[in-house]
Amino acid sequence: MKSLLPLLLCAVSLTACARAPDDASAAASPQAGQGLARAAAGSVDERAIRALQSINPRIEVDHVGKAPLPGFREAVVGGQMVYISDDGRYLLQGALFDVVEKKDLSQAGMAEVRRRLLATIPASERIVFAPADPDYTVSVFTDVECGYCRKLHQEIDEYNRLGIAVEYLAFPRMGPASEDFTKMVSVWCASDRRQALSAAKADLPVPKRDCTSPVARHYDIGQRVGLTGTPMIVTADGTQMPGYMPPADLRAALDRLAAEAGAAPAAAPSPSPARAPGSGGSS
């Protein structure tokens, strides 16, 4: 895990560094330049936020609340969980693991942040590949250049057949100044985004276009939800899946999460015969 302290000490926050300054959609975002966390005046949560901002006044705190560790509050900054002592003096960074329960306790707070941040992205900004009546919907931060993003898209028909709707968000992993970023802006500005995304992932030419696109804002949100690589699959409850997952494995994982949450998962369709790579996702 990368160290957060140097980022806290910089002149600007991690998410401000990641944002493309000339993208109008980023400037228009209600979350631009601020975090999601709010705290009552004089509360221990406010003390934690003040402690973080004493290191860097411009950091964005997306979550603050009671930590599973006695005497500490938890906070999410730049997509990472930190723990601040109730007196505001000490800061710990990293996962908090319950040895008895065999559980990473930091994930609940991260899941809440992912849910809240993803809820700020309207349906009109997502590129959706979905069956008529999906059992599950996942958000996928994708890049048109990465191999596993392309592999996932080659199998998009099978994800859909298994009852999984895929809603793509943009994360050009090479950054705002890259050709990758420009290509993804062209995809999101295309009249047929689905066709343009499929073409880009197949190394086919995509006409260069420019518009007020959401790509910079998606990139910023990806940073804030803890993205470290693409594709990043996030479930409706904010759970982050471990990178690329084959369709049947993702369906099984979603069924397990539904069972743990007390919901009865729908019966999964039977596996289909293997298909040649690249046969799906060309709509």
Side-chain angles (χ1 to χ4, degrees):
M1 176 181 292
K2 61 185 177 183
S3 175
L4 185 62
L5 187 56
L7 298 172
L8 289 172
L9 292 172
C10 347
V12 295
S13 72
L14 170 65
T15 50
C17 290
R19 187 176 297 113
D22 59 349
D23 190 286
S25 66
S29 168
Q31 302 303 335
Q34 64 184 41
L36 293 174
R38 299 291 180 269
S43 67
V44 67
D45 285 349
E46 186 197 35
R47 189 181 304 133
I49 294 174
R50 285 204 313 266
L52 289 165
Q53 292 179 337
S54 72
I55 303 172
N56 176 0
R58 297 181 62 185
I59 68 166
E60 298 177 356
V61 182
D62 283 319
H63 164 76
V64 65
K66 184 178 180 180
L69 188 65
F72 281 78
R73 311 305 284 178
E74 66 176 23
V76 174
V77 180
Q80 296 185 51
M81 182 68 75
V82 296
Y83 300 93
I84 309 99
S85 60
D86 287 346
D87 62 5
R89 179 169 181 176
Y90 300 105
L91 183 148
L92 302 172
Q93 177 193 351
L96 182 62
F97 195 79
D98 186 322
V99 176
V100 175
E101 297 293 332
K102 304 294 190 293
K103 185 177 182 181
D104 183 351
L105 300 180
S106 63
Q107 287 308 305
M110 286 301 307
E112 178 185 342
V113 169
R114 293 185 194 110
R115 284 196 305 271
R116 293 169 66 193
L117 282 169
L118 289 176
T120 69
I121 303 176
S124 61
E125 292 183 6
R126 300 164 182 255
I127 300 181
V128 180
F129 290 79
D133 188 19
D135 298 322
Y136 302 107
T137 298
V138 295
S139 298
V140 179
F141 284 91
T142 194
D143 174 52
V144 295
E145 300 289 351
C146 88
Y148 277 107
C149 296
R150 292 181 172 189
K151 181 173 176 59
L152 187 153
H153 196 65
Q154 287 172 356
E155 299 171 307
I156 199 71
D157 288 347
E158 183 66 4
Y159 288 103
N160 289 173
R161 198 193 66 78
L162 291 176
I164 303 169
V166 174
E167 298 188 351
Y168 282 121
L169 308 173
F171 194 86
R173 57 185 180 158
M174 301 305 292
S178 66
E179 180 61 31
D180 186 22
F181 187 96
T182 301
K183 186 181 293 187
M184 295 196 75
V185 168
S186 295
V187 167
W188 255 261
C189 292
S191 57
D192 186 340
R193 292 175 174 175
R194 284 162 50 99
Q195 189 279 330
L197 183 66
S198 295
K201 286 177 178 286
D203 254 345
L204 298 175
V206 175
K208 189 171 183 178
R209 297 178 184 271
D210 198 9
C211 66
T212 302
S213 82
V215 172
R217 193 162 68 87
H218 290 191
Y219 181 82
D220 171 55
I221 289 175
Q223 296 271 5
R224 292 166 69 182
V225 299
L227 188 152
T228 56
T230 51
M232 181 186 188
I233 302 173
V234 183
T235 69
D237 70 352
T239 299
Q240 178 181 348
M241 292 299 179
Y244 163 81
M245 297 180 73
D249 290 356
L250 179 58
R251 172 69 201 217
L254 293 170
D255 285 343
R256 284 195 300 272
L257 287 174
E260 290 169 4
S270 300
S272 64
R275 292 174 298 169
S279 60
S282 59
S283 57

